[in-house]
Amino acid sequence: MTVEHTRHSRPSRWSLAASVLLAMALLAPGPAARAQQGASDAAPAAPQAETPAATPAPDGPSPGSTPGAAEAEAGAPEENEEADLLLSPLAPAPTTSPRKTFTSFRRFVQDAADTLRLALKTAADEHAVFDNDKIRALKADAFDDVRRAASTFDLSAIPPVNRRTVATNSVLLLEEVLDRIPLPDLERIPDDAAVDAGAAPNGWVIPGTEIRMVRSEAPDGEPRYLFSAETLQRLPAFYAQVREAPKLADVGIDYYQYFIVGPGPAMPLFVHNMIARFPEWLRVSYADQAVWQWIAMALATLIAIASVVAAVRLEARRSQSLSAVKRSAHRLMLPVFVILVLSLYEHVIDDYINVTGQFLAITELVVESLQALTLAVATIFAFNVFAATIISTPRIKSESLDASLIRLSMRVLGIAVAGYIVFLGATRVGLPLYGVIAGLGVGGLAIALAVRPTLENFIGGIILYADRPVKVGDFCKFGDMLGTVETIGLRSTKIRGLDRTLVTVQNADFSQMSITNFTRRDSNLMNTMIGLRYETSPEQLRAIVGSIAEMLRADERVKSETVRVVFRGFGSYSLDVEIWTYVLSADWGTFLRIQEELLLKVMDIVRENGSAFAIPAQTTYLGTDLPPNTDPAALPAPELQAAT
């Protein structure tokens, strides 16, 4: 990379700041470039023109030239068309031949350097501490050039969450390596014509190196030559091997080293100047991070952890609200806060502290995983808030079957969305798509086997909702028990027994029981048997039966067409009369009161007709067995004793 640099015994204020910001900006896309970040994640498309690529010298244009000036001076119409195409912000990097890929990469890096140098000169001329609109526009153009330079890389093996970090680091590492090794003449690098003739069928390697370009096919069938994933992985090792070698262009500065020890792009210029004046020991690099960066990162990590711990303790001490909506909303606040802390933490260490390299890649993976899991939890809580809001309406009772179904639906939907979020997070951190799907399938089967009873109860709850044999508040008989339904949940139904004990029945069992719902009756059956004394005459019996039937039919609380009063037969100690009719009351307590009044009237009718209710009685005969050859006539008559 050919960049003007004036040697001083001690770097001046602007020359040092320019060097740091130049190296930093080359690799760390800012807000203007992040809107176009997706283009670097995807493989670059084939070029839009078949004209040959511009072929600047390996070291790029002269330091004072503007982007594209050297190519414009070439004079060839095809090269001018290619240069015009490269100036388009929408044009992908030409990669249809090894020569185009090589020259595109160096061209975009050089253009980024020239544009940033112009931005820094503008800032110096205007004495700008913070970026103005003109400086931001220049930086945005430079960031776009870096993105297009990175589009010459094969990033398919890099997790999506790390592609920006790996791509931007690889741009500077590769440029530093190329600046320190002998490069072949452009004529020796296969161009489009050579590729069409069969050259580089499987890729191309820079002579004397292990820097390889691999060949693939674009969707339209055109060839693409990209720096291989293996090359990107080995770039740090290549750089370590040539780091001590002098640059062939004699720039006199290692921009990668300035990048890894400098602050991030979000820092204003005065911070760059301040860091440049740090003691030397603070700017010493360990594991590709300066000492001041390790200190700042440790402080940022401690602050993030302390913030989360404080939020957890505050939530634990919060008094529980009586409102279900407020309780659900409070539970949602904690994961949302954690997501915000993680996002802010990643932004600080990337755009302010400027953590780089493998450590940043690992941090991004960890933060992305935690964010995905926390977002999944927050999604479930958000659906719970939605369900609680619906149930809080006056038309829905909080413990009704409708409320249970709403909770069930929202929980199932929330879990489904949360699972999708976890799935997306897994793919972004690099887990293979098919592996994730297979893992979900195996995991789902294992979970299904482990929670089989729960699934049975869940299905039982669905059956209860579909059939609606009972609802909250119904008085029913299930099995040999009587009680009032209090709660119908996802897993079980709770019933308050007559003895006030709370009975919990699994939905799978409850849905298979024979359930008698007394609450849903339109009337209650009054069926009783009365016994009259045997001394009652037939005339009295007829009068009693007729009077009872007439009394029942005259009562408006009785369903008159169902009245049946008949003499059923001779009992062991009474004349049995059956009373059978429906009382027009669905409530059991009201029915018992009406039945009581009717039975008292029956007692009056029996008494008015000169009869009485039979009392169970037993007659016992006492006698003595006759001895042999005894005349029975000589014995006294047996004594009769009646017992009641």
Side-chain angles (χ1 to χ4, degrees), residues 457-481:
N457 294 324
F458 168 74
I459 295 174
I462 296 298
I463 293 174
L464 289 177
Y465 177 78
D467 292 344
R468 291 182 177 268
V470 294
K471 61 182 179 63
V472 174
D474 285 357
F475 180 74
C476 64
K477 178 182 180 182
F478 58 101
D480 57 350
M481 297 189 64

Side-chain angles (χ1 to χ4, degrees), residues 483-502:
T484 302
V485 178
E486 289 198 349
T487 304
I488 301 176
L490 298 176
R491 183 174 174 273
S492 61
T493 299
K494 295 180 175 60
I495 301 175
R496 182 73 63 179
L498 296 179
D499 57 355
R500 303 306 299 161
T501 57
L502 188 63

Side-chain angles (χ1 to χ4, degrees), residues 545-587:
V545 170
S547 299
I548 294 176
E550 183 179 355
M551 179 271 296
L552 293 175
R553 292 189 181 97
D555 197 309
E556 60 181 9
R557 298 170 298 179
V558 175
K559 199 171 185 179
S560 59
E561 62 271 19
T562 64
V563 173
R564 186 180 67 210
V565 182
V566 295
F567 171 49
R568 289 291 300 271
F570 302 97
S572 58
Y573 59 87
S574 63
L575 301 174
D576 295 335
V577 176
E578 181 186 29
I579 302 174
W580 198 96
T581 188
Y582 283 107
V583 175
L584 298 176
S585 175
D587 181 70

Side-chain angles (χ1 to χ4, degrees), residues 56 248 283 427 430 481 566 578 611 627:
L248 300 183
R283 292 186 284 118
T427 56
M481 297 189 64
V566 295
E578 181 186 29
S611 182

Side-chain angles (χ1 to χ4, degrees), residues 271-346:
V271 177
H272 290 263
N273 299 329
M274 182 177 62
I275 293 177
R277 296 187 176 92
F278 278 176
E280 185 64 27
W281 66 272
L282 283 176
R283 292 186 284 118
V284 175
S285 174
Y286 294 98
D288 290 337
Q289 318 296 329
V291 173
W292 75 266
Q293 290 174 318
W294 285 112
I295 296 174
M297 185 169 51
L299 291 176
T301 303
L302 289 176
I303 292 174
I305 294 176
S307 300
V308 174
V309 171
V312 171
R313 291 184 176 180
L314 180 63
E315 180 64 24
R317 295 176 181 177
R318 185 194 301 272
S319 58
Q320 293 294 328
S321 174
L322 297 178
S323 171
V325 177
K326 292 183 178 180
R327 290 198 304 269
S328 301
H330 289 163
R331 285 194 292 266
L332 176 61
M333 292 172 60
L334 181 59
V336 170
F337 177 76
V338 173
I339 293 174
L340 293 177
V341 170
L342 290 173
S343 300
L344 182 61
Y345 175 75
E346 185 178 18

Side-chain angles (χ1 to χ4, degrees), residues 601-626:
K601 291 181 180 180
V602 169
M603 292 180 64
D604 293 337
I605 291 173
V606 171
R607 186 179 301 108
E608 290 171 358
N609 285 274
S611 182
F613 294 102
I615 299 176
Q618 181 179 6
T619 302
T620 303
Y621 293 90
L622 301 177
T624 304
D625 293 337
L626 297 178

